[in-house]
Amino acid sequence: MTYIAKPRVHHPSLPKNALGLTRRDYEGSMSTLCAGCGHDSVTAAIIEAFWRLEIPPHRVAKLSGIGCSAKTPTYFLGGAHGFNAVHGRMPAIASGAAAANRELTYIGVSGDGDSLSIGLGQLCHAIRRNVDMLYVLENNGVYGLTKGQFSASAEIGSKTKRGEANRQAPIDPVLLAISLGATFVARSFSGDKAQLVPLLEAGIAHKGFALIDVISPCVTFNDHEGSTRSYQATRERDVEIVSADFVPPAEEITSSYTMGDVAHVTMHDGSMLRFRRVADGYDPTDRDAAWAYIQARQAAGEVPTGLLFVDTSVPDMHDLLETVEAPLNVLPFEELCPGAAVLDSIQARWV
Ligand SMILES: Cc1ncc(C[n+]2csc(CCOP(=O)(O)OP(=O)(O)O)c2C)c(N)n1
Ligand code: SF4
């Protein structure tokens, strides 16, 4: 937790994006999390990604459930719409909001407890529906807010502060998402802003459900020797298997990599994902191969990071359900409530 108040007046020469906004305009309230919490670094990366993408804060809806991670939307994009849902229920709220207004950009922030225990079913169905949103899972292996109980992502053998070892098998959100048909799956580390920011940008630009699992250490309850989610353990085991770069539509595409090493995926809005295979033969567009590769590396004690899987060809929730283009709040009453005759004709289709 920081006690230094944010200055009200900003230096006039702070860099501005094309909207004339500085990074300060993408910040929120002062964080009340513990000093050094990984979640604050994720917040900083989210601020950077939205600033770079030049998305007006008031065109964003930020959602969360319950947990230290769920508090973080308060600390970015103060001008955005926000909703703090019941524990684990953020995906349902996000799905409903997105169905009612497809013009906003949706970001959900959750924890491993919020997502993989009480909210696991909700997460699975948001993936299955391919809801057009970025879902950031701040993964620290514990329930930080309720003082450090193991979460469902804790690995076997990981130790609590008092030395007890976890004996239950973990749920891996990345493998879960790939096996459920997710269309954008990435993993990163809160301490690696250079990798995390382009992944966040790409996840926001992705049309459909984008999951980014961010290893985000809890310095208060899970950063000791014996923990597999500490800063030290993550730094030792983090292996980047794909180096991804995000190129917005308006930017010239130049490559710093040797030609032949670089592959491009065009996103629906014309932006581009440019990735380099760091690991031999790794292809983030091949679902089966990605799943097998990640599982094999994890069995060998590594934490593979980067853009792990992407598919831009799958229809998202709006395409599947043929949702209305205009936000529901601007539709005239006659269209929202077309009367009994129209309802009868709809019901007649099923009799
Ligand atoms: C219905 C319900 N059950 C249990 C709780 C208690 N609770 C609050 S936060 C939390 C887990 C938070 O862990 P995580 O999602 O990993 O977030 P972190 O605090 O680690 O960022 C739990 C179990 C609650 N608030 N509501
Ligand atoms: S308890 Fe852990 S997760 Fe919560 S703010 Fe502190 S360091 Fe972060």
Side-chain angles (χ1 to χ4, degrees):
M1 178 170 175
T2 173
Y3 296 90
I4 304 165
K6 286 191 180 184
R8 283 169 190 268
V9 180
H10 307 313
H11 196 281
S13 65
L14 284 180
K16 295 188 167 116
N17 63 15
L19 301 175
L21 300 176
T22 68
R23 288 178 176 83
R24 297 262 180 228
D25 298 311
Y26 288 78
E27 292 179 352
S29 311
M30 284 255 293
S31 172
T32 57
L33 302 184
C34 310
C37 176
H39 301 353
D40 277 338
S41 306
V42 182
T43 295
I46 291 171
I47 289 168
E48 181 68 21
F50 275 98
W51 180 78
R52 282 197 205 171
L53 288 175
E54 295 158 356
I55 297 175
H58 71 282
R59 303 305 294 155
V60 177
K62 46 181 190 171
L63 304 109
S64 62
I66 301 290
C68 298
S69 41
K71 290 170 69 181
T72 64
T74 313
Y75 313 137
F76 61 81
L77 272 65
H81 305 272
F83 197 95
N84 206 198
V86 182
H87 198 15
R89 269 50 181 170
M90 175 266 282
I93 306 291
S95 307
N101 185 349
R102 58 196 288 174
E103 288 185 351
L104 299 180
T105 299
Y106 292 90
I107 174 171
V109 184
S110 181
D112 39 312
D114 196 55
S115 293
L116 303 178
S117 290
I118 196 166
L120 184 61
Q122 296 256 324
L123 170 62
C124 294
H125 285 279
I127 292 173
R128 194 174 146 258
R129 290 196 177 102
N130 206 13
V131 179
D132 190 10
M133 68 180 295
L134 169 65
Y135 192 106
V136 179
L137 201 167
E138 296 183 337
N139 191 343
N140 53 20
V142 289
Y143 298 167
L145 192 73
T146 53
K147 303 205 180 302
Q149 302 87 348
F150 281 129
S151 79
S153 77
E155 288 162 321
I156 291 177
S158 188
K159 290 191 177 150
T160 62
K161 257 180 151 176
R162 292 184 179 179
E164 301 140 59
N166 175 45
R167 295 189 295 160
Q168 295 185 60
I171 296 173
D172 184 314
V174 154
L175 292 176
L176 177 81
I178 293 178
S179 67
L180 281 170
T183 51
F184 183 110
V185 183
R187 173 174 277 147
S188 193
F189 170 40
S190 61
D192 188 354
K193 207 172 167 189
Q195 182 192 57
L196 181 55
V197 173
L199 287 176
L200 289 165
E201 288 180 80
I204 294 164
H206 179 68
K207 187 169 185 278
F209 191 87
L211 174 77
I212 307 185
D213 178 39
V214 188
I215 309 298
S216 175
C218 169
V219 284
T220 303
F221 298 110
N222 206 14
D223 195 34
H224 44 268
E225 211 174 305
S227 158
T228 57
R229 286 279 190 283
S230 65
Y231 278 105
Q232 196 184 336
T234 308
R235 286 210 172 92
E236 280 167 8
R237 301 188 309 146
D238 178 345
V239 179
E240 191 178 46
I241 56 172
V242 177
S243 168
D245 217 0
F246 179 77
V247 187
E251 235 169 73
E252 187 194 358
I253 296 158
T254 54
S255 180
S256 55
Y257 303 129
T258 327
M259 289 307 287
D261 286 350
V262 183
H264 296 119
V265 173
T266 308
M267 317 285 277
H268 79 285
D269 62 353
S271 58
M272 193 160 277
L273 263 171
R274 189 171 55 176
F275 60 84
R276 181 167 57 101
R277 298 169 177 87
V278 175
D280 278 351
Y282 187 81
D283 181 1
T285 62
D286 181 337
R287 188 182 297 273
D288 292 343
W291 200 92
Y293 186 90
I294 296 163
Q295 204 193 31
R297 295 326 311 153
Q298 287 183 175
E302 292 179 0
V303 180
T305 62
L307 175 70
L308 304 175
F309 178 74
V310 65
D311 183 351
T312 55
S313 68
V314 179
D316 76 336
M317 180 182 75
H318 297 298
D319 297 335
L320 287 168
L321 300 183
E322 296 177 35
T323 59
V324 64
E325 292 277 346
L328 297 189
N329 64 353
V330 299
L331 288 183
F333 180 77
E334 304 72 49
E335 277 186 48
L336 277 174
C337 191
V342 175
L343 184 62
D344 287 345
S345 72
I346 293 170
Q347 285 182 331
R349 289 191 220 156
W350 287 280
V351 288

